[in-house]
Amino acid sequence: MLAIQLLVTDQDLVVQGDPIDGWSSLDTTVRFNEPASGSVVLPAYPHVMEHLQPGHRLQVIRDGELWTAGPMEVPQDFAWGIGSDGEAPPGRVTVNFSDDLAVLAGYLTWADPAEVWADQPEAAAYSLTSTNAETILRTLVNLNCGPGALAARQVPNLVLGAVAGVGTTTTVSTRFEGLLAACRRVAVDGGGLGFRTRQVAGQILFEVYAPQDLTGTARFSAGLGNLRSLTYKQSAPTVTHALVQGSEVESPAARAFVEVSDAAAASAWWRVEQLVSGSADSDTGGELTQDGTEALADGAQPVELATVTVDTEDLRAGRDFGLGDLVTVALPTGLEVSDVVRSIHLQATPDSGEHVTSVVGSPAATSDPQMVRLVRELGRRLGRIEAR
């Protein structure tokens, strides 16, 4: 029996009307440290249409648990017509929705979050040095769109969840950068952390968490019947030695230079140098070292794994593993690779039931078009330039 329920709420998370029935298809994907995306096709009855309004939200409940919840990005994509080429009355409406990380994605990191836009400093960046990564993530969200932000910038009902006590010490310097882009940098540098929004009662919690190592219990292979497809590529790193130069200062002789290297990669392959423009004029707080570490992380991915797995009774997404968790994939060649759960895709229809697949692999294992990835990378670089 299909155990999926759809609810519409207003911006204050108050349920509007009854659960939506009569829907013909549901397609939603949740992603690790990225906003979710989804669509649902509904009959365009008046009592349905009245709830599909700007600012309203959609909740997807699976097996009694909230799968995803967030704003309707396209509340009404309506089609109606008479005859073989049209949608018979009452017509059809398609709703596109996301989760609440999509709302946070609309914010930038202000250089001084306590000041209004007209009073932003001309050149300074917002910086936290030698600070726990979870603390940095919570601070960035709190000051830019959470309860600690200027009143006009606060996301309604957004609060900080309980402290998880995870992450390592790192540093951030950011100025007018996409909020989620800055958070992803900190999450990677701070120990591979995950962050998410989660609706609980009348609040939207922003939470930081440490993904689990489930390599011993969450295993995927053709023999187990839970491996749908995979691609695997091993290639040389594009950088083994990041040569970081600090921002220009008045005296050229005082300019800082820092080298960050991956000796193991250079030994296994060969030395590859890359010039990196630092985000600060010195490495006092480890800023330039962090810039080098990020460059190594971007270029040191000799193994690219893109795997689509399938839910089985023994191993189910959301129950036995989640976003960011480390799982094991057994390749038909005999090699076993451990990697991260990047996304989970839920498709459902009343007739055929639900179908859940997961994408496991390196950061390159994404269904995003190349142009989308390029735009994101350019946005990240521009944000870093602004921070200097």
Side-chain angles (χ1 to χ4, degrees):
M1 181 179 179
L2 195 61
I4 292 179
Q5 186 179 56
L6 304 179
L7 297 176
V8 175
T9 73
D10 63 13
Q11 196 173 49
D12 292 323
L13 315 184
V14 178
V15 175
Q16 305 294 293
D18 298 322
I20 296 177
D21 57 11
W23 55 273
S24 57
S25 67
L26 172 69
D27 189 306
T28 177
T29 302
V30 291
R31 298 179 175 85
F32 182 52
N33 293 352
E34 296 272 3
S37 62
S39 64
V40 61
V41 179
L42 310 167
Y45 293 115
H47 70 275
V48 172
M49 299 295 288
E50 68 174 316
H51 298 308
L52 306 181
Q53 301 299 326
H56 280 191
R57 302 159 45 82
L58 189 70
Q59 294 181 3
V60 178
I61 301 171
R62 180 194 183 211
D63 294 333
E65 299 290 335
L66 193 62
W67 178 263
T68 187
M72 300 180 189
E73 295 180 312
V74 181
Q76 295 187 19
D77 185 353
F78 175 69
W80 177 94
I82 298 176
S84 60
D85 296 331
E87 290 291 332
R92 178 198 68 201
V93 60
T94 301
V95 178
N96 294 331
F97 60 93
S98 185
D99 63 8
D100 290 296
L101 277 183
V103 180
L104 274 60
Y107 284 77
L108 301 179
T109 56
W110 285 19
D112 187 348
E115 296 293 338
V116 298
W117 178 251
D119 295 332
Q120 290 299 298
E122 181 177 352
Y126 182 82
S127 300
L128 289 172
T129 59
S130 301
T131 304
N132 171 263
E134 180 185 7
T135 300
I136 294 177
L137 291 170
R138 291 168 59 88
T139 301
L140 288 175
V141 170
N142 181 46
L143 297 184
N144 284 285
C145 62
L150 296 174
R153 302 187 73 206
Q154 292 179 12
V155 175
N157 305 301
L158 178 66
V159 299
L160 300 180
V163 175
V166 297
T168 59
T169 297
T170 187
T171 293
V172 68
S173 179
T174 181
R175 174 183 169 86
F176 310 141
E177 181 182 6
L179 176 58
L180 289 194
C183 286
R184 282 190 291 270
R185 289 198 291 113
V186 174
V188 171
D189 296 335
L193 298 180
F195 56 84
R196 63 193 172 207
T197 52
R198 187 166 61 94
Q199 182 178 325
V200 177
Q203 294 181 318
I204 300 169
L205 304 183
F206 175 79
E207 298 176 322
V208 181
Y209 66 98
Q212 304 177 83
D213 185 343
L214 301 178
T215 51
T217 57
R219 298 175 59 83
F220 300 91
S221 71
L224 293 173
N226 56 13
L227 186 58
R228 184 175 179 181
S229 66
L230 66 85
T231 59
Y232 173 81
K233 180 173 69 175
Q234 188 175 29
S235 55
T238 58
V239 55
T240 64
H241 289 69
L243 308 179
V244 188
Q245 58 179 4
S247 304
E248 294 185 13
V249 293
E250 293 183 2
S251 172
R255 192 169 190 178
F257 295 88
V258 173
E259 179 178 336
V260 184
S261 63
D262 185 341
S267 176
W269 297 88
W270 48 79
R271 182 182 178 105
V272 184
E273 297 179 344
Q274 178 177 310
L275 181 63
V276 178
S277 296
S279 59
D281 56 13
S282 73
D283 199 37
T284 305
E287 296 94 337
L288 300 184
T289 297
Q290 183 191 37
D291 293 334
T293 301
E294 290 178 14
L296 289 181
D298 288 341
Q301 295 175 12
V303 174
E304 295 180 18
L305 174 69
T307 303
V308 177
T309 70
V310 181
D311 260 12
T312 65
E313 286 301 319
D314 295 328
L315 193 61
R316 298 189 66 192
R319 184 191 69 185
D320 303 309
F321 65 91
L323 294 172
D325 288 343
L326 196 64
V327 299
T328 298
V329 178
L331 279 64
T333 59
L335 179 68
E336 290 193 351
V337 179
S338 297
D339 222 316
V340 171
V341 179
R342 296 289 169 185
S343 64
I344 303 174
H345 185 195
L346 168 64
Q347 295 174 295
T349 67
D351 295 331
S352 60
E354 65 177 35
H355 182 59
V356 180
T357 59
S358 301
V359 173
V360 178
S362 60
T366 173
S367 58
D368 288 339
Q370 181 64 30
M371 182 58 70
V372 173
R373 282 179 281 174
L374 177 61
V375 169
R376 288 180 176 175
E377 174 63 15
L378 289 175
R380 184 181 74 88
R381 292 183 180 182
L382 287 172
R384 299 302 304 279
I385 291 173
E386 286 290 340
R388 291 203 291 270

